[in-house]
Every structure is written in structure tokens, then in C-alpha cells.
Amino acid sequence: MNPFRSLRDYEAFVYTLKQNFASVERSTLVVIRRGRRIAVVQGEVTFAQGFRLTVKERLSVQAEGLLIESYGYELWRGADKLAWYDPQPHPEPALASTYPHHKHIPPDIKHNRVPAPGISFSQPNLPLLIGEIEDLLAAAEPETKP
């Protein structure tokens, strides 16, 4: 169930990420309204050890609540792209369980796709993605700087 019924609800969520997730060091996410029922969310969320999440979402308010019409999420550590999520349809049987949602991962990040459980058009994806970064933080060795 989508906890956000309006753009205002989602704006409040986006603009309080740092207060609600201790792992978030900084957020440049902005909600850009394109009318009463449409908005774009874009920017970056940064974490310790060089991890960051780039976000682009197109939102619309429907009778059933706030929907994500399209999205692109990228997970980075420093200059290394670790993964990205998108809903571009690929008719691969291995992706059917979460179609059209999937995640690109190394090796051959452009072509290596896996299902993306939990990613949705009908509920916010940011908590799941932040959780993924938190798991990476817990498993990562501190980044050393020359």
C-alpha cells in the first residue's frame, strides 16, 4: 500500500530524508512540480565512504494515490557505478518475476540484468534503495584516499 496520497506527502518525505535515515549525510533531491498532479524528483543522496544514490522519478497523483510513472536510480561508490535500476522492458524470462523492474549489475553492467524485488511504480522506492546502500556500508571497507 502506498503511504503517500499526495505530492505534498512525498515532498515532506523527500525533504526529511536526512532526519529519517541516519545513514544519509546529504541530499540534493528536489521535487519539481509540473502542475497540480505531476512532479519530477531528481538529485543525489550521499552517504559515508563515498557511496551515493542518484535519483530521477516522474510522479503523478491518481485516484489510488501517488504513482511513479518512470524512474532511474544509480548506486555509486566514488567514480564506480555499482548498479542501476530502470523499468525499460526486456522480455527476458529471468526478469519476469519483477517485470518490467530490474537491476543492472557487474560484470558487463549494461547487459547483466537481474530481477528487482521491491521496486515498484505504486510505492516509494527510496527506503528500499537507502537500505541497499546501508547494507553496502555495513559490508564495505573504508575508502582510502591517496
Side-chain angles (χ1 to χ4, degrees), residues 92-146:
E92 298 172 27
L95 302 178
S97 65
T98 62
Y99 183 86
H101 312 288
H102 61 278
K103 179 180 180 181
H104 292 254
I105 60 171
D108 190 17
I109 195 168
K110 183 175 181 182
H111 299 104
N112 190 25
R113 303 175 192 101
V114 296
I119 297 294
S120 172
F121 290 128
S122 61
Q123 62 187 23
N125 295 316
L126 290 175
L128 181 125
L129 296 165
I130 291 170
E132 184 171 348
I133 296 276
E134 290 172 339
D135 291 345
L136 291 170
L137 278 164
E141 294 181 21
E143 193 173 51
T144 57
K145 302 209 186 223

Side-chain angles (χ1 to χ4, degrees), residues 24-90:
V24 172
E25 290 188 341
R26 183 171 181 259
S27 173
T28 65
L29 293 182
V30 293
V31 179
I32 305 163
R33 288 183 178 246
R34 303 280 191 221
R36 288 185 44 222
R37 303 176 70 81
I38 303 289
V40 172
V41 178
Q42 61 188 28
E44 187 171 89
V45 183
T46 57
F47 304 82
Q49 301 181 32
F51 287 101
R52 67 187 197 281
L53 168 67
T54 63
V55 174
K56 179 135 192 190
E57 296 176 328
R58 179 176 167 82
L59 310 171
S60 69
V61 178
Q62 305 293 323
E64 58 273 24
L66 192 67
L67 296 179
I68 300 170
E69 292 183 349
S70 65
Y71 64 80
Y73 309 112
E74 297 177 349
L75 284 63
W76 293 82
R77 186 173 193 199
D80 297 324
K81 188 185 291 189
L82 304 176
W84 87 77
Y85 291 86
D86 70 59
Q88 179 67 34
H90 297 289

